[in-house]
Amino acid sequence: MTAEIQLTQATGSCCSPSGSCHDGADTAATTGGVTTVYQVTGMTCGHCEGAVSEEISGIEGVTSVKAVAATGRVTVLSESPLTEDTVRAAVDEAGYELVGPA
């Protein structure tokens, strides 16, 4: 189970061959955004994914967050690079631990 918060309306179909919720285009490349993957410990379920996603989504400039408890990975799309301290504070607020970039 994964939690994804999409702050901007994606185009395309959720029925794409890859099962993604966009048309397969690289969103970061088409919007000029930055994609960063972080490793977070302590997530065990969909609720955990949602809590982490919600807190990181509150960071200014973040446009999309996808957390996966099974791997502990959180993929963040932002308008510009985020500082690790900013992401760490959001993850801490959610009650989990940021290990660092994955």
Side-chain angles (χ1 to χ4, degrees), residues 11-16 20-23:
T11 60
S13 170
C14 286
C15 299
S16 68
S20 66
C21 290
H22 54 80
D23 62 7

Side-chain angles (χ1 to χ4, degrees), residues 1-5 40-56 65-70 72-74 90-91 93-97:
M1 176 176 248
T2 62
E4 182 171 1
I5 296 179
V40 174
T41 59
M43 294 189 299
T44 59
C45 65
H47 179 268
C48 300
E49 295 167 343
V52 169
S53 295
E54 184 176 342
E55 289 297 332
I56 294 175
V65 180
K66 181 177 181 181
V68 181
R73 294 194 177 223
V74 180
V91 171
E93 183 66 27
Y96 303 91
E97 182 181 348

Side-chain angles (χ1 to χ4, degrees), residues 51-52 55-59 85-96:
V52 169
E55 289 297 332
I56 294 175
S57 292
I59 299 171
D85 287 342
T86 300
V87 176
R88 184 175 310 282
V91 171
D92 286 349
E93 183 66 27
Y96 303 91

Side-chain angles (χ1 to χ4, degrees), residues 35-38 53 56 64-68 73-77:
T35 300
T36 310
V37 180
Y38 298 96
S53 295
I56 294 175
S64 175
V65 180
K66 181 177 181 181
V68 181
R73 294 194 177 223
V74 180
T75 303
V76 180
L77 178 63

